[in-house]
Amino acid sequence: NAGVTQTPKFRVLKTGQSMTLLCAQDMNHEYMYWYRQDPGMGLRLIHYSVGEGTTAKGEVPDGYNVSRLKKQNFLLGLESAAPSQTSVYFCASSAWETQYFGPGTRLLVL
Amino acid sequence: SQQGEEDPQALSIQEGENATMNCSYKTSINNLQWYRQNSGRGLVHLILIRSNEREKHSGRLRVTLDTSKKSSSLLITASRAADTASYFCATDPPAGNNRKLIWGLGTSLAVNP
């Protein structure tokens, strides 16, 4: 059981570039989440999904899009990266109450 | 928006001492959870306490919940250097919230050898 995996681990982008972060889970969880973590701001929910084919906005969705075409995968896209999107991104999944986190993707936008 | 507020923001203790951190929240909950985050890593679930429970233990961890004061505390007994991490509380609001947890800002714990 790999749990929750995220790729890539680290990425540097230039302003205006686009990229996709991939989250995969092998626990057959229905719920998946994308968070960003910034110093002093804790975890902020970007988008989430309550099942395959569904997505919903979280607290800070602007500038991001997501897709959940397969139950095990949850993709986070940055359409046109901005320096304000420099952050550590965490994916999580859950079956019910407890969330299981991936190791994170560190993104630097120059 | 953040509901939980951890206190203190940072805590430094010696190995073998007990560490206590607190969490306050604003609305009603189904349960409250504590997570640990080692530097540069993802969060790991530690313990969950339901709204009808007052105290729960797991190894060296003891969690209390006071729903009348909307607060919880996490006690780590006989701390070790490996306990150095950030600790977050997260509340699970009543049904209809699509299992979205509401996170506090965390307490940074340093256990000195």
Side-chain angles (χ1 to χ4, degrees):
Chain A
N1 255 0
V4 180
T5 58
Q6 293 183 234
T7 52
K9 288 184 170 55
F10 177 69
R11 184 77 182 267
V12 178
L13 287 180
K14 293 181 180 177
T15 296
Q17 287 184 321
S18 62
M19 77 164 294
T20 300
L21 285 67
L22 172 63
C23 174
Q25 53 97 1
D26 61 2
M27 297 174 282
N28 202 36
H29 286 169
E30 289 293 337
Y31 299 89
M32 296 188 75
Y33 313 84
W34 275 108
Y35 294 96
R36 59 178 289 174
Q37 185 178 39
D38 302 290
M41 304 202 64
L43 283 174
R44 291 185 292 169
L45 183 65
I46 305 171
H47 286 281
Y48 65 100
S49 168
V50 301
E52 181 179 310
T54 75
T55 62
K57 293 180 180 179
E59 185 185 348
V60 288
D62 293 342
Y64 305 95
N65 57 70
V66 286
S67 65
R68 183 105 181 263
L69 298 179
K70 292 183 179 179
K71 187 176 185 179
Q72 63 268 34
N73 296 337
F74 196 27
L75 278 64
L76 178 71
L78 281 72
E79 301 150 347
S80 178
S84 60
Q85 293 178 304
T86 292
S87 188
V88 181
Y89 292 86
F90 288 100
C91 174
S93 71
S94 72
W96 192 237
E97 294 165 322
T98 301
Q99 292 189 9
Y100 297 82
F101 282 78
T105 293
R106 192 170 297 272
L107 177 65
L108 176 60
V109 182
L110 301 175
Chain B
S1 60
Q2 305 295 339
Q3 170 168 235
E5 288 186 13
E6 283 95 336
D7 166 50
Q9 288 187 338
L11 181 61
S12 180
I13 60 174
Q14 297 299 120
E15 215 167 16
E17 293 180 340
N18 295 342
T20 299
M21 50 205 90
N22 305 296
C23 170
S24 60
Y25 59 92
K26 296 173 185 170
T27 64
S28 60
I29 60 171
N30 273 335
N31 64 69
L32 184 145
Q33 304 176 34
W34 286 91
Y35 289 75
R36 183 188 72 227
Q37 183 180 32
N38 290 92
S39 181
R41 312 285 285 272
L43 281 74
V44 174
H45 179 260
L46 294 175
I47 194 165
L48 179 153
I49 187 165
R50 301 190 186 284
S51 59
N52 60 354
E53 297 175 312
R54 292 297 167 256
E55 188 171 311
K56 203 160 183 181
H57 297 255
S58 176
R60 293 184 296 113
L61 304 181
R62 172 179 170 253
V63 169
T64 61
L65 178 65
D66 187 334
T67 53
S68 67
K69 294 182 180 178
K70 291 186 169 58
S71 68
S72 173
S73 67
L74 172 68
L75 168 67
I76 304 174
T77 60
S79 62
R80 306 166 181 168
D83 294 327
T84 294
S86 292
Y87 292 81
F88 294 86
C89 70
T91 52
D92 185 3
N97 198 50
N98 286 324
R99 306 253 70 90
K100 290 183 292 179
L101 297 178
I102 301 176
W103 296 88
L105 297 179
T107 292
S108 177
L109 173 65
V111 181
N112 305 304

